[in-house]
Amino acid sequence: MIDLLLHIDQKLLELVIAYGPWVYAILFVIVFAETGLVVTPFLPGDSLLFATGALCATGALSAPVAAALLIAAAFTGDAFNYTVGRLVGPRVFAAADRAGPLHRLLNREHLARAHAFFEEYGGKAVILGRFVPIVRTFVPFVAGAAAMSSYTFGLMNIIGAVAWVTICLGAGLLFGNVPIVKQNFSLVTIGIVGVSLLPMVVEIVMQRRKRRLLP
């Protein structure tokens, strides 16, 4: 995972060379899985979109095609995750047997974090969670488990998918091939992940301060 993150630009270019147009399908599957399957939150998200944008800037990939497919992947991934949460979520939260199959499949700490994030921001969490690694994988599941209105979720989902892909892909398109960025691409991708973690860090700090103020 660390090697993939540090060399995501090289890995993606290798995929383009090896598979040609099929790389779009590979990107679709990765983004769908990262947002739609609660067992794969470790897959690259922001950094992958940035690297894709950088390759689009070189002409190796088509920006309109990549944007359309990645938005579709992000939207359908969240929609699938929401549906699964709607079907099995209540049983996950109600289950007391930590040795059960559902508990073994899900990371309970990540699930609890996403639940707190959803409770704090409500429907906006579907949009804001897009920009927080790990949280973006679990928030749709929590939204489904909480029986959030499908219409409201769908609206927030499309807004979040468009915003996330446009910002991250657009940043790569604009800055991915600037010499200083290109020469320090691994540091840039780590920086992107770090920045995307800031909302979560701020939230943790604020929660700790609230606890200290409580009598």
Side-chain angles (χ1 to χ4, degrees):
M1 177 59 187
I2 295 177
D3 180 67
L4 176 62
L5 179 62
L6 290 176
H7 305 98
I8 194 166
D9 57 327
Q10 299 173 19
K11 300 293 185 182
L12 189 54
L13 182 57
E14 289 173 7
L15 288 176
V16 172
I17 295 172
Y19 297 102
W22 285 103
V23 75
Y24 292 111
I26 296 172
L27 291 172
F28 183 97
V29 170
I30 292 174
V31 172
F32 177 90
E34 199 258 350
T35 58
L37 305 177
V38 291
V39 294
T40 54
F42 52 82
L43 291 173
D46 306 318
S47 55
L48 179 66
L49 296 180
F50 185 88
T52 301
L55 283 184
C56 289
T58 68
L61 294 172
S62 166
V65 173
L69 286 176
L70 292 174
I71 288 172
F75 176 82
T76 55
D78 263 27
F80 177 80
N81 210 344
Y82 168 85
T83 302
V84 173
R86 192 92 181 219
L87 293 174
V88 305
R91 282 185 289 169
V92 171
F93 284 103
D97 180 15
R98 291 186 174 273
L102 291 176
H103 282 273
R104 287 199 297 268
L105 283 173
L106 296 178
N107 185 308
R108 300 294 295 179
E109 293 182 4
H110 293 167
L111 188 61
R113 184 191 305 167
H115 185 265
F117 193 88
F118 185 79
E119 289 293 316
E120 177 74 18
Y121 296 105
K124 291 184 294 185
V126 178
I127 299 175
L128 298 175
R130 286 281 187 186
F131 298 90
V132 185
I134 305 297
V135 168
R136 69 168 153 262
T137 306
F138 284 84
V139 161
F141 182 89
V142 172
M148 181 179 183
S149 162
S150 57
Y151 173 79
T152 302
F153 176 82
L155 180 61
M156 298 296 181
N157 185 14
I158 188 61
I159 293 174
V162 171
W164 182 50
V165 173
T166 300
I167 291 173
C168 294
L169 191 73
L173 192 62
L174 291 173
F175 305 112
N177 287 289
V178 173
I180 190 171
V181 175
K182 193 171 183 179
Q183 293 166 11
N184 299 278
F185 201 92
S186 60
L187 296 177
V188 172
T189 53
I190 292 174
I192 291 171
V193 174
V195 170
S196 64
L197 285 170
L198 282 178
M200 184 170 59
V201 173
V202 171
E203 180 64 21
I204 292 173
V205 172
M206 291 178 64
Q207 289 298 325
R208 287 183 177 177
R209 285 184 178 178
K210 287 180 182 179
R211 289 173 187 171
R212 290 175 182 173
L213 292 175
L214 290 175

